[in-house]
mmCIF file of all heavy atoms in Angstrom:
data_model
loop_
_atom_site.group_PDB
_atom_site.id
_atom_site.type_symbol
_atom_site.label_atom_id
_atom_site.label_comp_id
_atom_site.label_asym_id
_atom_site.label_seq_id
_atom_site.Cartn_x
_atom_site.Cartn_y
_atom_site.Cartn_z
ATOM 1 N N SER M 16 176.749 125.975 138.890
ATOM 2 C CA SER M 16 175.567 126.229 139.629
ATOM 3 C C SER M 16 174.425 125.239 139.267
ATOM 4 O O SER M 16 174.538 124.562 138.259
ATOM 5 C CB SER M 16 175.077 127.626 139.325
ATOM 6 O OG SER M 16 174.412 127.656 138.118
ATOM 7 N N ALA M 18 171.647 125.940 138.259
ATOM 8 C CA ALA M 18 170.952 126.313 137.078
ATOM 9 C C ALA M 18 171.554 125.710 135.831
ATOM 10 O O ALA M 18 170.951 125.239 134.855
ATOM 11 C CB ALA M 18 171.044 127.863 137.006
ATOM 12 N N THR M 19 172.905 125.588 135.890
ATOM 13 C CA THR M 19 173.603 124.987 134.688
ATOM 14 C C THR M 19 173.275 123.511 134.562
ATOM 15 O O THR M 19 173.022 123.024 133.525
ATOM 16 C CB THR M 19 175.111 125.195 134.851
ATOM 17 O OG1 THR M 19 175.351 126.610 134.877
ATOM 18 C CG2 THR M 19 175.825 124.536 133.679
ATOM 19 N N ARG M 22 170.028 123.233 133.076
ATOM 20 C CA ARG M 22 170.078 123.493 131.654
ATOM 21 C C ARG M 22 170.611 122.253 130.880
ATOM 22 O O ARG M 22 170.180 122.022 129.795
ATOM 23 C CB ARG M 22 170.960 124.732 131.363
ATOM 24 C CG ARG M 22 170.168 126.010 131.564
ATOM 25 C CD ARG M 22 170.944 127.184 131.082
ATOM 26 N NE ARG M 22 170.547 128.343 131.867
ATOM 27 C CZ ARG M 22 171.213 128.844 132.852
ATOM 28 N NH1 ARG M 22 172.328 128.299 133.261
ATOM 29 N NH2 ARG M 22 170.812 129.901 133.522
ATOM 30 N N VAL M 30 174.329 125.363 126.757
ATOM 31 C CA VAL M 30 175.477 125.159 127.640
ATOM 32 C C VAL M 30 176.721 124.879 126.789
ATOM 33 O O VAL M 30 176.631 124.068 125.795
ATOM 34 C CB VAL M 30 175.214 124.033 128.696
ATOM 35 C CG1 VAL M 30 176.434 123.815 129.547
ATOM 36 C CG2 VAL M 30 173.985 124.271 129.498
ATOM 37 N N LYS M 31 177.778 125.416 127.159
ATOM 38 C CA LYS M 31 179.019 125.216 126.411
ATOM 39 C C LYS M 31 179.398 123.758 126.440
ATOM 40 O O LYS M 31 179.319 123.063 127.463
ATOM 41 C CB LYS M 31 180.158 126.002 127.082
ATOM 42 C CG LYS M 31 181.412 126.064 126.119
ATOM 43 C CD LYS M 31 182.332 127.181 126.606
ATOM 44 C CE LYS M 31 182.705 127.090 128.118
ATOM 45 N NZ LYS M 31 183.814 127.887 128.488
ATOM 46 N N THR M 34 181.514 122.406 129.346
ATOM 47 C CA THR M 34 180.734 122.377 130.619
ATOM 48 C C THR M 34 179.750 121.171 130.619
ATOM 49 O O THR M 34 179.628 120.488 131.544
ATOM 50 C CB THR M 34 179.986 123.628 130.797
ATOM 51 O OG1 THR M 34 180.744 124.741 130.349
ATOM 52 C CG2 THR M 34 179.621 123.829 132.268
ATOM 53 N N ALA M 57 157.861 122.715 139.572
ATOM 54 C CA ALA M 57 158.550 123.885 139.027
ATOM 55 C C ALA M 57 158.089 124.258 137.625
ATOM 56 O O ALA M 57 157.903 125.383 137.267
ATOM 57 C CB ALA M 57 160.054 123.758 139.110
ATOM 58 N N ARG M 59 155.382 122.980 136.090
ATOM 59 C CA ARG M 59 153.977 122.869 135.852
ATOM 60 C C ARG M 59 153.689 121.863 134.697
ATOM 61 O O ARG M 59 152.627 121.924 134.145
ATOM 62 C CB ARG M 59 153.424 124.217 135.558
ATOM 63 C CG ARG M 59 154.103 125.394 136.208
ATOM 64 C CD ARG M 59 153.364 126.656 136.266
ATOM 65 N NE ARG M 59 152.681 126.898 137.547
ATOM 66 C CZ ARG M 59 151.544 126.253 137.925
ATOM 67 N NH1 ARG M 59 150.956 125.443 137.109
ATOM 68 N NH2 ARG M 59 150.995 126.494 139.101
ATOM 69 P P DC I 1 176.936 129.068 123.621
ATOM 70 O OP1 DC I 1 177.653 127.923 123.298
ATOM 71 O OP2 DC I 1 175.503 129.117 123.566
ATOM 72 O "O5'" DC I 1 177.421 129.461 125.105
ATOM 73 C "C5'" DC I 1 178.673 129.093 125.546
ATOM 74 C "C4'" DC I 1 178.754 129.595 126.970
ATOM 75 O "O4'" DC I 1 178.146 130.840 127.028
ATOM 76 C "C3'" DC I 1 178.139 128.764 128.039
ATOM 77 O "O3'" DC I 1 179.146 128.452 129.050
ATOM 78 C "C2'" DC I 1 177.018 129.485 128.548
ATOM 79 C "C1'" DC I 1 177.445 130.927 128.238
ATOM 80 N N1 DC I 1 176.281 131.873 128.008
ATOM 81 C C2 DC I 1 176.069 132.903 128.873
ATOM 82 O O2 DC I 1 176.797 133.036 129.860
ATOM 83 N N3 DC I 1 175.079 133.744 128.643
ATOM 84 C C4 DC I 1 174.227 133.666 127.679
ATOM 85 N N4 DC I 1 173.225 134.555 127.420
ATOM 86 C C5 DC I 1 174.462 132.585 126.736
ATOM 87 C C6 DC I 1 175.496 131.736 126.901
ATOM 88 P P DT I 2 178.936 127.496 130.270
ATOM 89 O OP1 DT I 2 180.237 126.939 130.665
ATOM 90 O OP2 DT I 2 177.847 126.640 129.851
ATOM 91 O "O5'" DT I 2 178.433 128.550 131.344
ATOM 92 C "C5'" DT I 2 179.395 129.244 132.092
ATOM 93 C "C4'" DT I 2 178.670 130.109 133.107
ATOM 94 O "O4'" DT I 2 177.613 130.853 132.461
ATOM 95 C "C3'" DT I 2 177.887 129.307 134.200
ATOM 96 O "O3'" DT I 2 178.594 129.523 135.431
ATOM 97 C "C2'" DT I 2 176.509 129.831 134.256
ATOM 98 C "C1'" DT I 2 176.635 131.161 133.360
ATOM 99 N N1 DT I 2 175.434 131.519 132.637
ATOM 100 C C2 DT I 2 174.759 132.718 132.938
ATOM 101 O O2 DT I 2 175.101 133.398 133.895
ATOM 102 N N3 DT I 2 173.689 133.010 132.197
ATOM 103 C C4 DT I 2 173.167 132.222 131.142
ATOM 104 O O4 DT I 2 172.223 132.619 130.472
ATOM 105 C C5 DT I 2 173.897 131.032 130.756
ATOM 106 C C7 DT I 2 173.484 130.187 129.670
ATOM 107 C C6 DT I 2 175.007 130.738 131.573
ATOM 108 P P DG I 3 178.103 128.764 136.789
ATOM 109 O OP1 DG I 3 179.402 128.411 137.468
ATOM 110 O OP2 DG I 3 177.154 127.768 136.414
ATOM 111 O "O5'" DG I 3 177.444 129.962 137.574
ATOM 112 C "C5'" DG I 3 178.062 131.203 137.637
ATOM 113 C "C4'" DG I 3 177.250 132.201 138.430
ATOM 114 O "O4'" DG I 3 176.153 132.628 137.510
ATOM 115 C "C3'" DG I 3 176.544 131.598 139.615
ATOM 116 O "O3'" DG I 3 176.564 132.627 140.644
ATOM 117 C "C2'" DG I 3 175.163 131.291 139.161
ATOM 118 C "C1'" DG I 3 174.912 132.423 138.133
ATOM 119 N N9 DG I 3 174.014 132.115 137.066
ATOM 120 C C8 DG I 3 174.016 130.923 136.238
ATOM 121 N N7 DG I 3 173.058 130.938 135.322
ATOM 122 C C5 DG I 3 172.409 132.169 135.559
ATOM 123 C C6 DG I 3 171.293 132.667 134.859
ATOM 124 O O6 DG I 3 170.649 132.222 133.867
ATOM 125 N N1 DG I 3 170.968 133.982 135.340
ATOM 126 C C2 DG I 3 171.529 134.614 136.368
ATOM 127 N N2 DG I 3 171.070 135.761 136.705
ATOM 128 N N3 DG I 3 172.602 134.070 137.028
ATOM 129 C C4 DG I 3 172.916 132.865 136.617
ATOM 130 P P DA I 4 176.207 132.270 142.147
ATOM 131 O OP1 DA I 4 177.401 132.494 142.935
ATOM 132 O OP2 DA I 4 175.535 131.024 142.156
ATOM 133 O "O5'" DA I 4 175.095 133.393 142.447
ATOM 134 C "C5'" DA I 4 175.107 134.606 141.802
ATOM 135 C "C4'" DA I 4 173.902 135.375 142.117
ATOM 136 O "O4'" DA I 4 172.854 135.207 141.166
ATOM 137 C "C3'" DA I 4 173.307 135.118 143.476
ATOM 138 O "O3'" DA I 4 172.614 136.228 143.954
ATOM 139 C "C2'" DA I 4 172.333 133.900 143.131
ATOM 140 C "C1'" DA I 4 171.802 134.487 141.829
ATOM 141 N N9 DA I 4 171.512 133.305 140.869
ATOM 142 C C8 DA I 4 172.040 132.116 140.709
ATOM 143 N N7 DA I 4 171.603 131.394 139.772
ATOM 144 C C5 DA I 4 170.640 132.191 139.238
ATOM 145 C C6 DA I 4 169.727 132.042 138.173
ATOM 146 N N6 DA I 4 169.689 130.937 137.426
ATOM 147 N N1 DA I 4 168.914 133.091 137.830
ATOM 148 C C2 DA I 4 169.011 134.186 138.638
ATOM 149 N N3 DA I 4 169.773 134.437 139.650
ATOM 150 C C4 DA I 4 170.566 133.403 139.888
ATOM 151 P P DA I 5 171.559 136.110 145.222
ATOM 152 O OP1 DA I 5 171.566 137.495 145.864
ATOM 153 O OP2 DA I 5 171.950 134.902 146.033
ATOM 154 O "O5'" DA I 5 170.223 135.871 144.593
ATOM 155 C "C5'" DA I 5 169.765 136.814 143.622
ATOM 156 C "C4'" DA I 5 168.282 136.630 143.328
ATOM 157 O "O4'" DA I 5 168.078 135.480 142.389
ATOM 158 C "C3'" DA I 5 167.465 136.245 144.599
ATOM 159 O "O3'" DA I 5 166.212 136.842 144.428
ATOM 160 C "C2'" DA I 5 167.393 134.766 144.530
ATOM 161 C "C1'" DA I 5 167.202 134.521 142.990
ATOM 162 N N9 DA I 5 167.648 133.205 142.463
ATOM 163 C C8 DA I 5 168.539 132.318 143.045
ATOM 164 N N7 DA I 5 168.680 131.288 142.372
ATOM 165 C C5 DA I 5 167.797 131.425 141.290
ATOM 166 C C6 DA I 5 167.536 130.610 140.131
ATOM 167 N N6 DA I 5 168.085 129.403 139.943
ATOM 168 N N1 DA I 5 166.587 131.044 139.281
ATOM 169 C C2 DA I 5 166.014 132.239 139.498
ATOM 170 N N3 DA I 5 166.297 133.183 140.510
ATOM 171 C C4 DA I 5 167.144 132.623 141.363
ATOM 172 P P DA I 6 165.209 136.953 145.677
ATOM 173 O OP1 DA I 6 165.228 138.293 146.210
ATOM 174 O OP2 DA I 6 165.481 135.751 146.566
ATOM 175 O "O5'" DA I 6 163.804 136.710 144.926
ATOM 176 C "C5'" DA I 6 163.692 137.149 143.581
ATOM 177 C "C4'" DA I 6 162.680 136.261 142.890
ATOM 178 O "O4'" DA I 6 163.217 135.017 142.421
ATOM 179 C "C3'" DA I 6 161.462 135.899 143.781
ATOM 180 O "O3'" DA I 6 160.254 136.081 143.055
ATOM 181 C "C2'" DA I 6 161.756 134.453 144.162
ATOM 182 C "C1'" DA I 6 162.422 133.931 142.932
ATOM 183 N N9 DA I 6 163.319 132.819 143.018
ATOM 184 C C8 DA I 6 164.137 132.511 144.088
ATOM 185 N N7 DA I 6 164.791 131.342 143.936
ATOM 186 C C5 DA I 6 164.333 130.859 142.728
ATOM 187 C C6 DA I 6 164.679 129.731 141.941
ATOM 188 N N6 DA I 6 165.499 128.804 142.415
ATOM 189 N N1 DA I 6 164.013 129.570 140.793
ATOM 190 C C2 DA I 6 163.130 130.478 140.405
ATOM 191 N N3 DA I 6 162.769 131.648 141.006
ATOM 192 C C4 DA I 6 163.417 131.762 142.160
ATOM 193 P P DG I 7 158.861 135.914 143.840
ATOM 194 O OP1 DG I 7 157.949 136.923 143.236
ATOM 195 O OP2 DG I 7 159.077 135.788 145.278
ATOM 196 O "O5'" DG I 7 158.386 134.478 143.282
ATOM 197 C "C5'" DG I 7 158.456 134.192 141.849
ATOM 198 C "C4'" DG I 7 158.106 132.747 141.667
ATOM 199 O "O4'" DG I 7 159.313 131.969 141.968
ATOM 200 C "C3'" DG I 7 157.006 132.240 142.643
ATOM 201 O "O3'" DG I 7 156.036 131.532 141.906
ATOM 202 C "C2'" DG I 7 157.766 131.301 143.586
ATOM 203 C "C1'" DG I 7 158.873 130.864 142.719
ATOM 204 N N9 DG I 7 160.041 130.372 143.394
ATOM 205 C C8 DG I 7 160.621 130.848 144.543
ATOM 206 N N7 DG I 7 161.649 130.085 144.965
ATOM 207 C C5 DG I 7 161.733 129.129 144.022
ATOM 208 C C6 DG I 7 162.634 127.995 143.965
ATOM 209 O O6 DG I 7 163.588 127.724 144.727
ATOM 210 N N1 DG I 7 162.361 127.236 142.830
ATOM 211 C C2 DG I 7 161.354 127.398 141.949
ATOM 212 N N2 DG I 7 161.173 126.576 140.943
ATOM 213 N N3 DG I 7 160.457 128.382 142.023
ATOM 214 C C4 DG I 7 160.792 129.190 143.053
ATOM 215 P P DC I 8 154.560 131.400 142.543
ATOM 216 O OP1 DC I 8 153.686 132.392 141.856
ATOM 217 O OP2 DC I 8 154.648 131.245 143.952
ATOM 218 O "O5'" DC I 8 154.157 129.976 141.989
ATOM 219 C "C5'" DC I 8 154.556 129.457 140.702
ATOM 220 C "C4'" DC I 8 154.675 127.933 140.825
ATOM 221 O "O4'" DC I 8 155.971 127.577 141.160
ATOM 222 C "C3'" DC I 8 153.830 127.395 141.901
ATOM 223 O "O3'" DC I 8 152.597 127.019 141.322
ATOM 224 C "C2'" DC I 8 154.601 126.131 142.380
ATOM 225 C "C1'" DC I 8 156.008 126.337 141.891
ATOM 226 N N1 DC I 8 157.106 126.482 142.944
ATOM 227 C C2 DC I 8 158.161 125.685 142.902
ATOM 228 O O2 DC I 8 158.260 124.870 142.010
ATOM 229 N N3 DC I 8 159.136 125.749 143.878
ATOM 230 C C4 DC I 8 158.977 126.695 144.812
ATOM 231 N N4 DC I 8 159.914 126.830 145.721
ATOM 232 C C5 DC I 8 157.860 127.562 144.885
ATOM 233 C C6 DC I 8 156.923 127.417 143.936
ATOM 234 P P DG I 9 151.223 127.663 141.939
ATOM 235 O OP1 DG I 9 150.172 127.526 140.888
ATOM 236 O OP2 DG I 9 151.479 128.976 142.527
ATOM 237 O "O5'" DG I 9 150.884 126.666 143.158
ATOM 238 C "C5'" DG I 9 150.738 125.333 142.905
ATOM 239 C "C4'" DG I 9 150.807 124.516 144.203
ATOM 240 O "O4'" DG I 9 152.159 124.694 144.711
ATOM 241 C "C3'" DG I 9 149.839 125.055 145.304
ATOM 242 O "O3'" DG I 9 149.306 123.852 145.864
ATOM 243 C "C2'" DG I 9 150.807 125.727 146.286
ATOM 244 C "C1'" DG I 9 152.048 124.943 146.122
ATOM 245 N N9 DG I 9 153.291 125.535 146.512
ATOM 246 C C8 DG I 9 153.549 126.943 146.548
ATOM 247 N N7 DG I 9 154.782 127.225 146.934
ATOM 248 C C5 DG I 9 155.281 125.999 147.281
ATOM 249 C C6 DG I 9 156.558 125.708 147.845
ATOM 250 O O6 DG I 9 157.474 126.459 148.097
ATOM 251 N N1 DG I 9 156.730 124.280 148.007
ATOM 252 C C2 DG I 9 155.762 123.335 147.697
ATOM 253 N N2 DG I 9 156.131 122.060 147.974
ATOM 254 N N3 DG I 9 154.576 123.642 147.218
ATOM 255 C C4 DG I 9 154.410 124.985 147.026
#
Side-chain angles (χ1 to χ4, degrees):
Chain M
S16 77
T19 300
R22 278 190 208 100
V30 180
K31 191 164 53 166
T34 322
R59 330 197 97 281

